[in-house]
Amino acid sequence: MPVILGIESSCDETSASVCVDGVILSNIIANQTIHEAYGGVVPELASRVHQQNIVPAVQQALLVAKVSKNDVDAVAFTRGPGLLGSLLVGVSFAKAFALAKNIPLIDINHMQAHVLAHFIGDNKPQFPFLCLTVSGGHTQIVLVKDYFDMEVIGQTLDDAAGEAMDKTSKILGLPYPGGPLIDKYARLGDPDKYQFPEPQIPGFDFSFSGLKTAILYFIRDNVALNPDFVQQNLNDICASVEKRIATILLNKLSKAAKEYGIKDIALAGGVSANTGLRLGLQALCEKNNWRSFIPKLEYCTDNAAMIAIAGYYKYLNGEFTNQDVAPLARMPL
Ligand code: KG4
Ligand code: ZN
């Protein structure tokens, strides 16, 4: 019955989770609101807030799980990819905890953990499956052959899907992070009101920079004619943008599933919280007789439960790391 403490601090969420024998008993997430005023994450501020939140988050995770710190068998932490200063806080905490308790350390790749969030709970996909991992920094179609054997078969050539959401919301004058707000307004709008271009990129790769420019010019030209254009049409603009981003993602995913002959299709990362994308994937899978796997909302955006479950599988394999481990801003799958 291994007890794993999971730590996540790669961006602007400080999170701690306790996993006992593969079951998540707590998942405490401290969100940082300080960045709203800046329209994006300020790395230096993020690491300072992690520093403040990390100990209370871990204490709370242990309390909720009703687990004493003496019962923890191993500490799993996000090694990368992410903001270096933010990662340093989680990595240093994990090292100190492991040293104090004389227990092993387990380093986790944040992008693998997003995929492995599908192994929380009973409804698990079967290997090999495809996972569309869409976050603020990444857009990947991953062929998942085993827990830690993953191959990126398509990725963005420029902006990530979450970045496209956040930059669009910035153009619309909405606060950061814009993805959840685009989702909220899109529910009230007409997704077919405005047509935005779908980039023609060969293979399974993506591009979102052309879409961003198209949205920028579209807003600029319409505001020149009517200064209240955005306020008057916000719901329809958000619905149309969301639909285009979702179709760009799902068309490639569908193409990959057909080419690789895979029938278990999963969604992961912060943008998988998006309602239009979730509904779109469900419809695509129903049409093709595929099984869709969509994580609970709390396991879509950054969280330590996915780190703890990934840590559990590494613990079973006996894969540990040393006290001299360093965080990595970039870390391939
Ligand atoms: O995975 P994540 O929490 O952090 C990174 O590792 O980047 O993803 C954050 C991204 C942000 O771009 C945010 O706007 C987007 O996920 N996001 C959403 C929604 N919730 C979060 N985008 C669209 N609709 C949502 N409901
Ligand atoms: Zn993430």
Side-chain angles (χ1 to χ4, degrees):
M1 292 258 291
V3 178
I4 312 291
L5 174 65
I7 305 288
E8 157 63 30
S9 72
S10 65
C11 190
D12 59 342
E13 275 93 14
T14 319
S15 183
S17 167
V18 173
C19 172
V20 177
D21 207 22
V23 178
I24 298 297
L25 296 188
S26 62
N27 183 34
I28 305 300
I29 304 172
N31 292 111
Q32 302 186 358
T33 49
I34 194 165
H35 309 287
E36 277 167 17
Y38 301 91
V41 176
V42 184
E44 174 62 28
L45 296 180
S47 28
R48 291 184 204 183
V49 182
H50 283 305
Q51 189 71 50
Q52 287 176 310
N53 288 346
I54 187 95
V55 172
V58 170
Q59 280 174 329
Q60 190 67 14
L62 292 168
L63 196 73
V64 170
K66 298 191 175 65
V67 162
S68 148
K69 54 183 183 297
N70 299 323
D71 297 333
V72 176
D73 292 307
V75 192
F77 63 93
T78 304
R79 184 178 182 195
L83 302 171
L84 211 53
S86 292
L87 290 164
L88 270 167
V89 177
V91 175
S92 304
F93 177 89
K95 285 186 186 191
F97 192 99
L99 194 63
K101 293 282 147 204
N102 195 25
I103 54 175
L105 271 174
I106 304 174
D107 63 319
I108 299 296
N109 180 312
H110 179 88
M111 300 311 293
Q112 284 191 345
H114 269 303
V115 175
L116 294 173
H118 288 286
F119 293 87
I120 300 171
D122 295 330
N123 187 27
K124 301 174 172 67
Q126 278 178 3
F127 301 118
F129 65 92
L130 281 183
C131 186
L132 173 69
T133 313
V134 272
S135 70
H138 292 81
T139 305
Q140 303 174 329
I141 298 179
V142 182
L143 176 62
V144 188
K145 301 170 203 169
D146 207 340
Y147 294 107
F148 299 102
D149 185 4
M150 304 184 191
E151 184 189 340
V152 178
I153 60 167
Q155 58 192 320
T156 183
L157 304 176
D158 39 60
D159 289 355
E163 240 175 314
M165 293 277 185
D166 295 337
K167 284 178 181 168
T168 300
S169 72
K170 205 168 184 177
I171 295 169
L172 297 175
L174 302 173
Y176 176 87
L181 291 171
I182 293 197
D183 193 341
K184 181 176 150 198
Y185 296 122
R187 306 280 67 75
L188 307 167
D190 173 5
D192 297 314
K193 176 95 174 270
Y194 306 111
Q195 307 298 322
F196 295 105
E198 177 165 7
Q200 302 302 314
I201 310 289
F204 307 124
D205 287 335
F206 303 96
S207 167
F208 287 101
S209 67
L211 176 65
K212 178 187 66 189
T213 310
I215 294 167
L216 183 68
Y217 289 169
F218 168 81
I219 299 294
R220 188 194 62 184
D221 295 350
N222 279 287
V223 168
L225 298 171
N226 169 14
D228 296 327
F229 176 76
V230 171
Q231 290 90 313
Q232 287 166 2
N233 299 285
L234 186 61
N235 296 341
D236 293 336
I237 299 169
C238 288
S240 303
V241 168
E242 181 192 271
K243 184 181 177 187
R244 175 49 78 219
I245 292 175
T247 51
I248 292 172
L249 294 168
L250 294 174
N251 286 346
K252 290 285 176 147
L253 186 60
S254 169
K255 194 175 158 193
K258 285 175 185 157
E259 208 153 305
Y260 281 83
I262 289 190
K263 293 184 164 35
D264 276 10
I265 316 288
L267 208 55
V271 183
S272 61
N274 182 261
T275 312
L277 185 60
R278 294 165 85 94
L279 294 173
L281 180 69
Q282 273 165 7
L284 177 71
C285 288
E286 272 167 31
K287 190 175 130 209
N288 289 287
N289 230 347
W290 300 333
R291 297 196 303 166
S292 63
F293 294 86
I294 302 176
K296 276 193 196 166
L297 282 176
E298 64 173 317
Y299 303 135
C300 289
T301 43
D302 288 347
N303 67 87
M306 66 184 195
I307 305 302
I309 196 84
Y312 168 70
Y313 286 105
K314 277 204 168 178
Y315 184 93
L316 295 183
N317 290 345
E319 283 182 59
F320 304 122
T321 189
N322 297 320
Q323 275 287 343
D324 62 357
V325 63
L328 296 171
R330 289 170 180 275
M331 191 175 176
L333 265 190

